[in-house]
Amino acid sequence: MVKKERGLPEGYYLNKVIVAIVIAAIWLLFKVSTGSEVTGYMMAFSGISVLLYPYSRFFYEKIISYVVADNKLYFPVLVFIVVKLITMCLCWFFSFLIAPVGLAYLFYSRPVFDSSHSDGQP
């Protein structure tokens, strides 16, 4: 039996997909409210972005945790929320560019354990 540890943390993918669906719905509703017609291209883009957003956001969060490290940053709550919403939207809109890097990061950074030997010996 091979236990694969590659992938997003448990529950992370579903959480981020729900967020991505909300972003897609808001974007499509905005398009409709401005009088634009929702095209098949927009629907395909939204669907792909929803599926790739978790990997995009994961990679973004890894970069931010590397840059910030153990430092504590203090911002007004309103500034924090606005910046977070902007970064969420950017990760969603550019998920087709960011997600492949995030997937490569997951592939190369996570170990794969081969537990095919029940006694633990090779």
Side-chain angles (χ1 to χ4, degrees):
M1 177 171 72
V2 176
K3 180 180 180 188
K4 294 187 177 184
E5 293 294 327
R6 292 185 177 153
L8 295 173
E10 189 175 324
Y12 187 91
Y13 188 81
L14 181 61
N15 182 346
K16 298 304 177 191
V17 164
I18 292 169
V19 170
I21 290 170
V22 170
I23 293 171
I26 291 170
W27 181 62
L28 291 173
L29 285 172
F30 175 76
K31 286 294 195 181
V32 168
S33 71
T34 60
S36 297
E37 183 179 330
V38 176
T39 63
Y41 168 76
M42 288 180 188
M43 294 300 290
F45 178 80
S46 295
I48 291 169
S49 293
V50 165
L51 294 175
L52 293 178
Y53 174 78
Y55 301 104
S56 169
R57 191 70 185 171
F58 178 77
F59 186 66
Y60 167 79
E61 289 172 357
K62 285 294 179 184
I63 290 172
I64 293 302
S65 72
Y66 178 77
V67 170
V68 174
D70 291 333
N71 295 316
K72 292 184 175 143
L73 304 174
Y74 298 100
F75 292 103
V77 174
L78 185 60
V79 171
F80 176 76
I81 291 172
V82 169
V83 169
K84 186 153 180 110
L85 288 173
I86 290 170
T87 60
M88 289 168 68
C89 290
L90 288 173
C91 284
W92 187 83
F93 277 104
F94 295 107
S95 63
F96 60 95
L97 296 173
I98 303 169
V101 180
L103 285 165
Y105 174 81
L106 279 172
F107 183 77
Y108 290 110
S109 69
R110 302 284 180 142
V112 175
F113 299 104
D114 182 6
S115 57
S116 60
H117 302 290
S118 60
D119 61 354
Q121 300 295 323

